[in-house]
Coordinates of all heavy atoms in Angstrom, one line a residue:
A3 N 128.5 96.0 173.5 CA 128.3 97.1 172.6 C 126.9 97.4 172.5 O 126.1 96.6 171.9 CB 129.0 96.9 171.3
E4 N 126.4 98.6 173.0 CA 125.0 98.9 172.9 C 124.8 99.5 171.5 O 125.6 100.2 171.0 CB 124.7 100.0 174.0 CG 124.6 99.4 175.4 CD 124.1 100.4 176.4 OE1 123.3 101.3 176.0 OE2 124.6 100.4 177.5
E5 N 123.6 99.2 171.0 CA 123.2 99.8 169.8 C 122.5 101.1 170.0 O 121.8 101.3 171.0 CB 122.2 98.9 169.0 CG 122.9 97.6 168.6 CD 121.9 96.7 167.8 OE1 120.9 97.2 167.3 OE2 122.2 95.5 167.8
A6 N 122.7 102.0 169.1 CA 122.0 103.4 169.2 C 120.5 103.2 168.9 O 120.1 102.4 168.1 CB 122.6 104.3 168.2
P7 N 119.7 104.0 169.6 CA 118.3 103.9 169.4 C 118.0 104.3 167.9 O 118.6 105.2 167.4 CB 117.7 104.9 170.4 CG 118.8 105.6 171.0 CD 120.1 104.9 170.6
I8 N 117.0 103.7 167.4 CA 116.5 104.0 166.0 C 115.4 105.0 166.1 O 114.4 104.8 166.9 CB 116.0 102.7 165.3 CG1 117.1 101.7 165.2 CG2 115.4 103.1 163.9 CD1 116.7 100.4 164.7
R9 N 115.6 106.1 165.5 CA 114.5 107.2 165.5 C 113.5 106.9 164.4 O 113.8 106.6 163.3 CB 115.1 108.5 165.2 CG 116.1 109.0 166.3 CD 116.4 110.4 166.2 NE 117.4 110.8 167.2 CZ 117.0 111.2 168.4 NH1 115.8 111.3 168.7 NH2 118.0 111.6 169.3
V10 N 112.2 106.9 164.8 CA 111.1 106.6 163.9 C 110.2 107.8 164.0 O 109.7 108.2 165.1 CB 110.4 105.3 164.3 CG1 109.3 105.1 163.4 CG2 111.4 104.2 164.3
S11 N 109.8 108.4 162.9 CA 108.9 109.5 162.9 C 107.5 109.0 163.0 O 107.1 107.9 162.6 CB 109.1 110.3 161.6 OG 108.5 109.7 160.5
H12 N 106.6 109.9 163.5 CA 105.2 109.5 163.6 C 104.6 109.3 162.2 O 103.7 108.5 162.0 CB 104.4 110.7 164.3 CG 104.8 110.8 165.8 ND1 104.4 109.8 166.7 CD2 105.4 111.7 166.5 CE1 104.9 110.1 167.9 NE2 105.5 111.3 167.8
D13 N 105.1 110.1 161.2 CA 104.6 110.0 159.8 C 104.9 108.6 159.3 O 104.1 108.0 158.6 CB 105.3 111.0 158.9 CG 104.7 112.4 159.2 OD1 103.6 112.5 159.8 OD2 105.4 113.4 158.9
S14 N 106.1 108.1 159.5 CA 106.5 106.7 159.0 C 105.7 105.6 159.7 O 105.3 104.7 159.1 CB 108.0 106.4 159.2 OG 108.4 106.3 160.5
I15 N 105.3 105.8 161.0 CA 104.5 104.8 161.7 C 103.1 104.9 161.1 O 102.5 103.8 160.8 CB 104.5 105.1 163.2 CG1 105.9 104.8 163.8 CG2 103.4 104.3 163.9 CD1 106.0 105.3 165.2
A16 N 102.6 106.0 160.9 CA 101.2 106.2 160.3 C 101.2 105.6 158.9 O 100.2 105.0 158.5 CB 100.8 107.7 160.3
E17 N 102.2 105.9 158.1 CA 102.2 105.4 156.7 C 102.2 103.8 156.7 O 101.5 103.2 155.9 CB 103.4 105.9 156.0 CG 103.3 107.4 155.6 CD 104.6 107.9 155.0 OE1 105.5 107.1 154.6 OE2 104.7 109.1 154.9
K18 N 103.1 103.2 157.6 CA 103.1 101.8 157.7 C 101.8 101.2 158.1 O 101.3 100.2 157.6 CB 104.3 101.4 158.6 CG 104.4 99.9 158.7 CD 104.8 99.3 157.4 CE 105.0 97.8 157.5 NZ 105.1 97.1 156.3
A19 N 101.2 101.8 159.1 CA 99.9 101.4 159.6 C 98.8 101.5 158.5 O 98.0 100.5 158.3 CB 99.5 102.2 160.8
A20 N 98.8 102.5 157.7 CA 97.9 102.7 156.6 C 98.1 101.6 155.6 O 97.1 101.0 155.0 CB 98.0 104.1 156.0
E21 N 99.4 101.3 155.2 CA 99.7 100.3 154.3 C 99.2 98.9 154.7 O 98.6 98.2 154.0 CB 101.2 100.2 154.0 CG 101.7 101.4 153.2 CD 103.2 101.4 153.1 OE1 103.8 100.3 153.4 OE2 103.8 102.4 152.7
T22 N 99.4 98.6 156.0 CA 99.0 97.3 156.6 C 97.5 97.2 156.6 O 97.0 96.2 156.2 CB 99.6 97.2 158.0 OG1 101.0 97.3 158.0 CG2 99.2 95.9 158.6
L23 N 96.8 98.3 156.9 CA 95.4 98.3 157.0 C 94.8 98.1 155.5 O 93.9 97.3 155.3 CB 94.8 99.6 157.5 CG 93.3 99.8 157.5 CD1 92.6 98.7 158.3 CD2 93.0 101.2 158.0
Q24 N 95.4 98.8 154.6 CA 95.0 98.6 153.2 C 95.2 97.2 152.7 O 94.3 96.6 152.1 CB 95.8 99.6 152.3 CG 95.3 99.6 150.8 CD 96.1 100.6 150.0 OE1 97.1 101.0 150.4 NE2 95.6 100.8 148.8
E25 N 96.3 96.6 153.0 CA 96.6 95.2 152.6 C 95.6 94.2 153.2 O 95.1 93.3 152.6 CB 98.0 94.8 152.9 CG 99.0 95.5 152.1 CD 100.4 95.4 152.6 OE1 100.7 94.6 153.5 OE2 101.3 96.1 152.1
T26 N 95.3 94.5 154.5 CA 94.4 93.6 155.3 C 93.0 93.7 154.7 O 92.3 92.6 154.5 CB 94.4 94.0 156.7 OG1 95.7 93.8 157.3 CG2 93.5 93.1 157.5
I27 N 92.5 94.9 154.4 CA 91.1 95.0 153.9 C 91.1 94.4 152.5 O 90.1 93.7 152.2 CB 90.8 96.5 153.8 CG1 90.6 97.1 155.3 CG2 89.5 96.7 153.0 CD1 90.4 98.5 155.3
K28 N 92.1 94.6 151.6 CA 92.1 94.0 150.3 C 92.0 92.5 150.4 O 91.2 91.8 149.7 CB 93.3 94.4 149.5 CG 93.3 95.8 148.9 CD 94.5 96.0 148.1 CE 94.5 97.3 147.4 NZ 95.8 97.5 146.7
A29 N 92.8 91.9 151.3 CA 92.8 90.4 151.4 C 91.5 89.9 151.9 O 91.0 88.9 151.4 CB 94.0 90.0 152.3
Y30 N 91.0 90.6 152.9 CA 89.7 90.1 153.5 C 88.6 90.2 152.5 O 87.8 89.2 152.3 CB 89.4 91.0 154.7 CG 88.0 90.8 155.3 CD1 87.8 89.8 156.2 CD2 87.0 91.7 155.1 CE1 86.6 89.5 156.8 CE2 85.7 91.5 155.7 CZ 85.5 90.4 156.5 OH 84.3 90.2 157.1
C31 N 88.4 91.3 151.8 CA 87.4 91.5 150.8 C 87.5 90.6 149.6 O 86.5 90.0 149.1 CB 87.3 92.9 150.4 SG 86.7 94.0 151.7
S32 N 88.7 90.4 149.1 CA 89.0 89.5 148.0 C 88.6 88.1 148.3 O 87.9 87.4 147.5 CB 90.5 89.6 147.6 OG 90.8 90.8 147.1
R33 N 89.0 87.6 149.5 CA 88.6 86.3 149.9 C 87.1 86.1 150.1 O 86.6 85.1 149.7 CB 89.4 85.9 151.2 CG 89.2 84.5 151.6 CD 89.8 83.5 150.6 NE 89.5 82.2 151.1 CZ 89.0 81.2 150.3 NH1 88.9 81.5 149.0 NH2 88.8 80.1 150.7
L34 N 86.5 87.1 150.6 CA 85.0 87.0 150.8 C 84.3 86.9 149.5 O 83.4 86.1 149.3 CB 84.6 88.3 151.6 CG 83.1 88.4 151.9 CD1 82.7 87.3 152.9 CD2 82.8 89.8 152.5
I35 N 84.7 87.7 148.5 CA 84.1 87.6 147.2 C 84.4 86.3 146.5 O 83.4 85.7 145.9 CB 84.6 88.8 146.3 CG1 84.1 90.1 146.8 CG2 84.2 88.6 144.8 CD1 84.7 91.3 146.1
Q36 N 85.6 85.8 146.7 CA 85.9 84.4 146.1 C 85.0 83.4 146.7 O 84.5 82.5 145.9 CB 87.4 84.1 146.4 CG 88.3 84.9 145.6 CD 89.8 84.6 146.0 OE1 90.0 83.8 146.9 NE2 90.7 85.2 145.3
V37 N 84.7 83.4 147.9 CA 83.9 82.4 148.6 C 82.5 82.4 148.0 O 81.9 81.4 147.6 CB 83.8 82.6 150.1 CG1 82.7 81.8 150.7 CG2 85.2 82.3 150.7
F38 N 81.9 83.6 147.8 CA 80.5 83.7 147.3 C 80.5 83.5 145.8 O 79.4 83.0 145.3 CB 79.9 85.1 147.7 CG 79.5 85.2 149.1 CD1 80.3 85.8 150.1 CD2 78.3 84.6 149.5 CE1 79.9 85.9 151.4 CE2 77.8 84.7 150.8 CZ 78.6 85.3 151.8
E39 N 81.5 83.7 145.1 CA 81.5 83.4 143.7 C 81.5 81.9 143.4 O 81.1 81.5 142.3 CB 82.7 84.1 143.0 CG 82.5 85.6 142.8 CD 83.7 86.2 142.1 OE1 84.8 85.7 142.1 OE2 83.5 87.3 141.6
T40 N 81.9 81.1 144.3 CA 81.9 79.6 144.1 C 80.5 79.1 144.3 O 80.3 77.9 143.9 CB 82.8 78.9 145.1 OG1 82.4 79.2 146.5 CG2 84.3 79.4 145.0
L41 N 79.6 79.8 144.9 CA 78.2 79.3 145.0 C 77.5 79.4 143.7 O 77.7 80.3 142.9 CB 77.5 80.2 146.1 CG 78.0 80.2 147.5 CD1 77.3 81.2 148.3 CD2 78.0 78.8 148.1
E42 N 76.6 78.4 143.5 CA 75.9 78.4 142.2 C 74.4 78.4 142.4 O 73.9 78.1 143.5 CB 76.3 77.1 141.5 CG 77.7 77.1 141.1 CD 78.1 75.8 140.3 OE1 77.2 75.1 139.8 OE2 79.3 75.6 140.2
G43 N 73.7 78.8 141.4 CA 72.2 78.7 141.3 C 71.6 79.6 142.4 O 72.0 80.8 142.6
T44 N 70.6 79.1 143.0 CA 69.8 79.8 144.0 C 70.6 80.1 145.3 O 70.1 80.9 146.1 CB 68.5 79.1 144.4 OG1 68.8 77.8 144.9 CG2 67.6 78.9 143.2
K45 N 71.7 79.5 145.5 CA 72.5 79.7 146.7 C 73.3 81.0 146.6 O 73.8 81.5 147.6 CB 73.4 78.5 147.0 CG 72.7 77.2 147.3 CD 73.6 76.1 147.6 CE 72.9 74.8 147.9 NZ 73.8 73.7 148.1
K46 N 73.5 81.4 145.4 CA 74.4 82.6 145.1 C 73.6 83.9 145.4 O 72.6 84.1 144.8 CB 74.9 82.6 143.7 CG 76.0 83.6 143.4 CD 76.6 83.5 142.1 CE 77.6 84.5 141.8 NZ 78.3 84.3 140.5
P47 N 74.1 84.7 146.3 CA 73.4 85.9 146.6 C 73.6 87.0 145.5 O 74.5 86.9 144.8 CB 74.1 86.4 147.9 CG 75.4 85.9 147.8 CD 75.3 84.5 147.1
Q48 N 72.6 87.9 145.4 CA 72.7 89.0 144.5 C 73.6 90.1 145.0 O 74.1 90.9 144.2 CB 71.3 89.5 144.1 CG 70.5 88.5 143.4 CD 69.1 89.0 143.1 OE1 68.7 90.1 143.6 NE2 68.3 88.3 142.3
R49 N 73.7 90.2 146.3 CA 74.4 91.3 146.9 C 75.2 90.8 148.2 O 74.6 89.9 148.9 CB 73.5 92.4 147.3 CG 74.2 93.6 148.0 CD 73.2 94.6 148.5 NE 72.6 95.2 147.3 CZ 71.3 95.6 147.3 NH1 70.6 95.6 148.4 NH2 70.8 96.2 146.2
I50 N 76.4 91.3 148.4 CA 77.2 90.9 149.6 C 77.4 92.2 150.3 O 77.9 93.2 149.7 CB 78.5 90.3 149.2 CG1 78.3 89.0 148.4 CG2 79.3 90.0 150.5 CD1 79.6 88.4 147.9
T51 N 77.2 92.2 151.6 CA 77.5 93.3 152.5 C 78.4 92.8 153.6 O 78.0 91.8 154.3 CB 76.3 94.0 153.0 OG1 75.5 94.4 152.0 CG2 76.7 95.2 153.9
A52 N 79.6 93.4 153.7 CA 80.5 93.0 154.8 C 80.7 94.2 155.7 O 80.9 95.3 155.2 CB 81.8 92.5 154.2
E53 N 80.7 93.9 157.0 CA 81.0 95.0 158.0 C 81.9 94.5 159.0 O 81.8 93.4 159.5 CB 79.7 95.4 158.6 CG 79.8 96.5 159.5 CD 78.4 97.0 160.0 OE1 77.6 97.5 159.2 OE2 78.1 96.8 161.2
F54 N 83.0 95.2 159.3 CA 83.9 94.9 160.4 C 84.4 96.1 161.0 O 84.4 97.2 160.5 CB 85.0 93.9 159.9 CG 85.8 94.5 158.7 CD1 87.0 95.1 158.9 CD2 85.3 94.4 157.4 CE1 87.8 95.6 157.9 CE2 86.1 94.8 156.4 CZ 87.3 95.4 156.6
G55 N 84.8 95.9 162.3 CA 85.3 97.0 163.1 C 86.8 97.0 163.3 O 87.4 95.9 163.2
L56 N 87.4 98.1 163.5 CA 88.8 98.2 163.7 C 89.1 99.1 164.9 O 88.5 100.2 165.0 CB 89.5 98.8 162.5 CG 91.0 99.0 162.5 CD1 91.7 97.7 162.6 CD2 91.4 99.7 161.3
K57 N 89.9 98.7 165.8 CA 90.2 99.5 167.0 C 91.7 99.8 167.0 O 92.5 98.9 167.0 CB 89.8 98.8 168.3 CG 90.0 99.6 169.5 CD 89.4 98.8 170.7 CE 89.7 99.5 172.0 NZ 89.2 98.7 173.2
L58 N 92.0 101.1 167.1 CA 93.4 101.5 167.1 C 93.7 102.1 168.5 O 92.9 102.9 169.0 CB 93.7 102.5 166.0 CG 93.3 102.1 164.6 CD1 93.4 103.3 163.7 CD2 94.2 101.0 164.1
S59 N 94.8 101.7 169.0 CA 95.2 102.3 170.3 C 96.7 102.6 170.4 O 97.4 101.9 169.7 CB 94.7 101.5 171.5 OG 95.4 100.2 171.4
S60 N 97.1 103.5 171.2 CA 98.5 103.8 171.4 C 98.7 104.2 172.8 O 97.8 104.7 173.5 CB 99.0 104.9 170.4 OG 98.4 106.1 170.8
D61 N 99.9 103.9 173.3 CA 100.3 104.2 174.6 C 101.7 104.7 174.6 O 102.6 104.0 174.1 CB 100.1 103.0 175.5 CG 100.3 103.3 177.0 OD1 100.3 104.5 177.3 OD2 100.5 102.4 177.8
C62 N 102.0 105.9 175.1 CA 103.3 106.5 175.1 C 103.7 106.8 176.5 O 102.9 107.6 177.2 CB 103.3 107.7 174.2 SG 104.9 108.5 174.1
R63 N 104.8 106.3 177.0 CA 105.3 106.7 178.3 C 106.7 107.3 178.2 O 107.6 106.8 177.5 CB 105.4 105.4 179.1 CG 104.0 104.8 179.4 CD 104.1 103.7 180.3 NE 102.7 103.1 180.4 CZ 102.5 101.9 180.8 NH1 103.4 101.1 181.2 NH2 101.2 101.5 180.9
F64 N 106.8 108.4 178.8 CA 108.1 109.1 178.8 C 108.3 109.6 180.3 O 107.7 110.5 180.8 CB 108.0 110.3 177.9 CG 109.3 111.1 177.7 CD1 110.3 110.5 177.0 CD2 109.5 112.3 178.3 CE1 111.5 111.1 176.8 CE2 110.7 113.0 178.2 CZ 111.7 112.4 177.4
Y65 N 109.2 108.8 180.9 CA 109.5 109.0 182.4 C 108.2 108.9 183.2 O 107.6 107.9 183.3 CB 110.3 110.3 182.6 CG 111.6 110.3 182.0 CD1 111.9 111.0 180.8 CD2 112.7 109.6 182.6 CE1 113.1 111.0 180.2 CE2 113.9 109.6 182.0 CZ 114.2 110.2 180.8 OH 115.4 110.2 180.2
I66 N 107.7 110.0 183.8 CA 106.5 109.9 184.6 C 105.3 110.4 183.9 O 104.2 110.4 184.4 CB 106.7 110.8 185.9 CG1 107.0 112.3 185.6 CG2 107.8 110.2 186.8 CD1 106.9 113.2 186.8
V67 N 105.4 110.8 182.6 CA 104.3 111.3 181.8 C 103.8 110.1 181.0 O 104.5 109.4 180.3 CB 104.7 112.5 180.9 CG1 103.5 112.9 180.1 CG2 105.2 113.6 181.8
N68 N 102.5 110.0 181.0 CA 101.9 108.9 180.2 C 100.8 109.5 179.3 O 100.0 110.3 179.8 CB 101.2 107.9 181.2 CG 100.7 106.7 180.4 OD1 101.1 106.3 179.3 ND2 99.7 106.0 181.0
S69 N 100.7 109.1 178.1 CA 99.7 109.5 177.1 C 99.2 108.3 176.4 O 99.9 107.4 176.0 CB 100.4 110.5 176.1 OG 99.4 110.9 175.2
A70 N 97.9 108.3 176.2 CA 97.2 107.2 175.5 C 96.1 107.7 174.6 O 95.6 108.8 174.9 CB 96.6 106.2 176.5
G71 N 95.9 107.0 173.6 CA 94.8 107.4 172.6 C 94.2 106.2 172.1 O 94.8 105.1 172.0
E72 N 93.0 106.3 171.6 CA 92.2 105.2 171.1 C 91.2 105.7 170.0 O 90.6 106.8 170.2 CB 91.5 104.5 172.2 CG 90.9 103.2 171.8 CD 90.4 102.4 173.0 OE1 91.2 101.8 173.7 OE2 89.1 102.4 173.2
A73 N 91.0 104.9 169.0 CA 90.1 105.3 167.9 C 89.4 104.0 167.4 O 90.0 103.0 167.4 CB 90.8 106.0 166.8
S74 N 88.2 104.1 167.0 CA 87.4 103.0 166.5 C 87.0 103.4 165.1 O 86.7 104.5 164.8 CB 86.2 102.7 167.3 OG 86.6 102.2 168.6
L75 N 87.0 102.4 164.2 CA 86.6 102.6 162.8 C 85.7 101.5 162.4 O 86.0 100.3 162.6 CB 87.9 102.6 161.9 CG 87.7 102.8 160.5 CD1 87.2 104.1 160.1 CD2 89.1 102.6 159.8
K76 N 84.6 101.8 161.8 CA 83.6 100.8 161.3 C 83.7 100.9 159.8 O 83.5 101.9 159.2 CB 82.2 101.1 161.8 CG 81.2 100.1 161.3 CD 79.8 100.5 161.9 CE 78.7 99.8 161.3 NZ 77.4 100.3 161.8
I77 N 83.9 99.7 159.1 CA 84.1 99.6 157.7 C 82.9 98.8 157.2 O 82.7 97.7 157.6 CB 85.4 99.0 157.3 CG1 86.5 99.9 157.8 CG2 85.5 98.9 155.8 CD1 87.9 99.3 157.7
T78 N 82.2 99.3 156.2 CA 81.1 98.6 155.5 C 81.4 98.6 154.0 O 81.7 99.6 153.4 CB 79.8 99.2 155.8 OG1 79.5 99.3 157.2 CG2 78.7 98.4 155.1
A79 N 81.4 97.4 153.4 CA 81.7 97.3 152.0 C 80.5 96.5 151.4 O 80.0 95.5 152.0 CB 83.0 96.5 151.7
Q80 N 80.1 96.8 150.2 CA 79.0 96.2 149.5 C 79.3 95.9 148.1 O 79.9 96.8 147.4 CB 77.7 97.0 149.6 CG 76.5 96.4 149.2 CD 75.2 97.2 149.5 OE1 75.3 98.4 149.6 NE2 74.2 96.5 149.8
W81 N 78.9 94.7 147.6 CA 79.2 94.3 146.2 C 77.9 93.8 145.6 O 77.1 93.1 146.2 CB 80.2 93.2 146.1 CG 81.5 93.6 146.6 CD1 82.6 94.1 145.9 CD2 82.0 93.4 147.9 NE1 83.7 94.3 146.7 CE2 83.3 93.9 148.0 CE3 81.5 92.9 149.1 CZ2 84.1 93.9 149.1 CZ3 82.2 92.9 150.3 CH2 83.5 93.4 150.2
E82 N 77.6 94.2 144.4 CA 76.5 93.6 143.6 C 77.1 92.4 142.8 O 78.0 92.6 142.1 CB 75.9 94.6 142.6 CG 75.3 95.9 143.3 CD 74.1 95.5 144.1 OE1 73.3 94.6 143.7 OE2 73.8 96.2 145.1
M83 N 76.5 91.3 143.0 CA 77.0 90.1 142.4 C 76.3 89.9 141.0 O 75.1 89.9 141.0 CB 76.8 88.8 143.2 CG 77.5 88.9 144.6 SD 79.3 89.1 144.5 CE 79.8 87.5 144.0
T84 N 77.0 89.7 140.0 CA 76.4 89.5 138.7 C 76.6 88.1 138.1 O 77.5 87.4 138.5 CB 76.9 90.5 137.7 OG1 78.3 90.4 137.6 CG2 76.5 91.9 138.0

């Protein structure tokens, strides 16, 4: 018994990707701040700057037609430590 294909809209894929990206950035930045907050005295920086890149790509094949896309995103975040 074959299962019917599941239709997925481009909007739902984009929404899920955005949610995943948001969760990843939150986790990364939260952990980074926690690490620096554990430092004491002169070892503790006054400012933290984090920079990371993200590369998104897609590839769609439909019979003999092929379509591909790629985008890069550079994210910089900065915190003043008090």
Side-chain angles (χ1 to χ4, degrees):
E4 288 186 35
E5 293 183 22
I8 299 172
R9 296 191 182 272
V10 180
S11 73
H12 292 291
D13 291 338
S14 66
I15 293 171
E17 287 174 14
K18 182 62 179 168
E21 289 173 13
T22 302
L23 177 60
Q24 183 178 16
E25 291 168 9
T26 301
I27 292 171
K28 279 183 180 180
Y30 175 79
C31 292
S32 294
R33 184 65 183 133
L34 183 65
I35 291 170
Q36 288 174 356
V37 168
F38 282 99
E39 284 179 340
T40 63
L41 299 175
E42 296 182 15
T44 58
K45 294 180 182 179
K46 188 173 182 177
Q48 294 179 350
R49 178 182 298 147
I50 300 171
T51 302
E53 184 175 292
F54 55 99
L56 178 67
K57 183 177 178 180
L58 306 171
S59 63
S60 66
D61 188 12
C62 180
R63 293 185 183 160
F64 186 73
Y65 295 102
I66 61 170
V67 178
N68 185 27
S69 176
E72 190 171 282
S74 295
L75 178 64
K76 180 178 167 184
I77 299 170
T78 303
Q80 188 171 31
W81 299 268
E82 298 291 328
M83 302 298 289
T84 56

